[in-house]
């Protein structure tokens, strides 16, 4: 998975849902600082957070990871 795709998808999904980093972090049970590190690619996104984000945004993990082909 290209890391820039993951980082862009995380930011774009959050912004599309009009959420702040702090709001998403609260939903994930983590700090805003840690969530910001996921968006920057400084830390790997844990699987449990990936699953939670899929549920929050109602998208597949393939989409978030950039594995889904769009046409």
């Amino acid at each position: 998975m290209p890391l820039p795709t993951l980082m862009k998808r995380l930011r774009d999904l959050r912004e599309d849902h009009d959420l702040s980093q702090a709001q998403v972090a609260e939903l994930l049970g983590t700090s805003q600082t840690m969530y910001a590190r996921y968006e920057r690619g400084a830390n790997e996104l844990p699987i449990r957070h990936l699953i939670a984000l899929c549920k929050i945004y109602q998208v597949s993990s393939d989409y978030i990871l950039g594995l889904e082909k769009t046409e």
Side-chain angles (χ1 to χ4, degrees), residues 38-52:
Y38 301 150
E39 280 194 10
R40 285 196 321 269
N43 280 67
E44 288 187 7
L45 182 68
I47 297 293
R48 69 183 185 280
H49 289 169
L50 175 62
I51 293 167

Side-chain angles (χ1 to χ4, degrees), residues 12 19 46:
D12 289 349
L19 295 170

Side-chain angles (χ1 to χ4, degrees), residues 18-44:
D18 296 320
L19 295 170
S20 68
Q21 287 183 340
Q23 289 170 313
V24 175
E26 185 175 334
L27 292 169
L28 297 178
T30 192
S31 68
Q32 182 274 328
T33 302
M34 183 56 73
Y35 182 77
R37 292 178 63 85
Y38 301 150
E39 280 194 10
R40 285 196 321 269
N43 280 67
E44 288 187 7

